[in-house]
Amino acid sequence: MVVTARVALAGGAATLTIGVLTGLARLGWHVPLVSLWALHHGPIMAVGFLGTLVATERALSHKHPLAFLSPVLGLGATLMLLTGVLWLAPFLAIGSALGLAIIVAQSHLLAPSIESVVAVAGALALAWGNVLWAANHPYSDAARGWIVFLALTIAAERFELTRFLPRTRVSRVAFVAFVALMILALPLSSVSSDLGARALGIGAMGLGAWLLWFDVARKTVRQKQFARFSGVCLFAASAWLVVAGLIALTRGLNPPEYDAGLHAVFLGFGFSMIFAHAPMLLGAAIGVRIPFTNVFWFHAVLLHFSVALRILADLVGLPVARSWAGIMHAVALLAFVISTLTSVARAKRRPLSI
């Protein structure tokens, strides 16, 4: 099972690489070999990388070989995109999302909780977006489901951790209300794209503000080394979710605001959360404790600066700045991979202390 997890993570890393290169191609940079795939940058990143990452994490905790069918199907969808079998890709993606929903639902049956219900809803939102993709809707329509998937999946995990803090009835009701609004935004978008975008914006703003106020990052940010780094990344991620919601609420999700809102969620919110969690998750997958290094701050600061630059460029119309922001995204992600792998190598050379 550990071998399967490593294969899934390796496939996810390859998908991330392709996703970054196709993103640069979409911004106008000449990237050999990937230009034909640039149109599919969205599903490659949202389904092929993030979907696979979440499904692999869930499969590891589920501890059943069949659970890995979900990330395998997600990677299969990406492979179909890259090989030109475009009609099959969304159906594999639907299977992956439904498999993820089943995994989380089984966990809920064993230990019922609010967070597991929210996680199931997130997986079903991923399936919703993939169904729209299969029905030949534009990626911009499907992306709303992918946004809700990412937001609810992460919010469920963060809500679970707040059990270590005092949770009032008001905080629980507010959390459920913002989650419900984000879910409601999906069918609303089928009726009115603008109304759905506004509902999604309010829900995202509320959920981001909830995380800023109630997340355990408020405590970990006061600690040292990796705990502080993780806390800062978590706070920054929640702030980007608020920004994305504000864009959707006030400007809608049509070009150029669509690009700004989308990358505030997937880069600012999503990858900041990945930066906060990846060393621990990777360490658990390979069986080592990854040491913290101050070099980690470089890719975190560069990521947030580049996201801010991209959003500004989108909203005021600065195409050159937008293109260079894309280069900074790529450098930040490359630096993240290099620094993490370097720390892994250091951890493997270091003998375990007893």
Side-chain angles (χ1 to χ4, degrees):
M1 193 160 58
V2 173
V3 173
T4 307
R6 292 180 180 180
V7 170
L9 289 173
T15 302
L16 173 61
T17 302
I18 295 170
V20 170
L21 294 177
T22 53
L24 292 177
R26 285 184 64 84
L27 289 172
W29 295 101
H30 176 64
V31 186
L33 303 178
V34 303
S35 58
L36 293 176
W37 303 330
L39 179 64
H40 309 300
H41 169 71
I44 287 172
M45 290 297 291
V47 178
F49 174 64
L50 290 171
T52 297
L53 185 67
V54 172
T56 301
E57 178 188 359
R58 290 292 184 176
L60 279 169
S61 61
H62 193 67
K63 297 180 180 179
H64 192 287
L66 285 178
F68 286 94
L69 185 60
S70 176
V72 168
L73 287 174
L75 291 175
T78 304
L79 183 61
M80 293 303 100
L81 284 175
L82 301 182
T83 55
V85 191
L86 303 184
W87 68 270
L88 183 56
F91 293 100
L92 293 179
I94 292 170
S96 176
L98 293 178
L100 177 60
I102 291 171
I103 293 171
V104 182
Q106 288 180 337
S107 299
H108 174 74
L109 292 176
L110 293 174
S113 64
I114 293 175
E115 55 267 22
S116 58
V117 172
V118 174
V120 171
L124 293 177
L126 176 62
W128 176 288
N130 294 339
V131 167
L132 293 181
W133 174 17
N136 293 319
H137 283 250
Y139 287 147
S140 56
D141 289 348
R144 298 190 183 197
W146 301 338
I147 287 172
V148 175
F149 154 67
L150 183 63
L152 298 195
T153 298
I154 292 175
E157 293 181 353
R158 302 312 303 170
F159 182 84
E160 181 181 8
L161 292 175
T162 62
R163 67 180 184 273
F164 298 114
L165 300 175
R167 289 196 303 203
T168 65
R169 180 179 177 83
V170 172
S171 72
R172 291 195 298 270
V173 170
F175 179 82
V176 171
F178 294 134
V179 166
L181 190 55
M182 293 197 75
I183 296 169
L184 180 62
L186 297 181
L188 278 178
S189 294
S190 299
V191 177
S192 168
S193 176
D194 186 65
L195 183 61
R198 311 299 175 180
L200 187 61
I202 296 172
M205 285 181 63
L207 198 55
W210 191 97
L211 291 171
L212 284 171
W213 187 257
F214 293 107
D215 197 279
V216 294
R218 295 179 64 185
K219 290 185 175 295
T220 58
V221 76
R222 301 171 189 170
Q223 299 176 18
K224 297 180 180 180
Q225 295 190 337
F226 185 75
R228 174 177 291 177
F229 172 80
S230 178
V232 170
C233 288
L234 293 170
F235 266 123
S238 301
W240 281 122
L241 189 59
V242 173
V243 170
L246 183 62
I247 292 171
L249 176 63
T250 60
R251 307 287 288 269
L253 286 175
N254 299 309
E257 291 83 0
Y258 167 75
D259 184 84
L262 198 68
H263 288 88
V265 173
F266 285 105
L267 275 174
F269 177 66
F271 273 92
S272 189
M273 285 288 182
I274 290 173
F275 287 1
H277 293 113
M280 290 184 293
L281 294 177
L282 183 59
I286 63 178
V288 299
R289 182 175 180 178
I290 298 177
F292 174 78
T293 169
N294 284 326
V295 174
F296 284 6
W297 289 107
F298 172 76
H299 57 253
V301 171
L302 183 59
L303 174 76
H304 296 299
F305 176 79
S306 67
V307 173
L309 178 61
R310 180 163 188 157
I311 291 174
L312 177 64
D314 278 331
L315 297 182
V316 302
L318 299 172
V320 175
R322 180 170 174 262
S323 295
W324 279 104
I327 291 291
M328 293 179 195
H329 302 334
V331 172
L333 296 182
L334 178 62
F336 159 68
V337 171
I338 291 174
S339 60
T340 302
L341 292 180
T342 301
S343 292
V344 168
R346 289 173 54 201
K348 287 186 173 182
R349 289 196 302 265
R350 183 178 300 173
L352 293 175
S353 57
I354 300 177

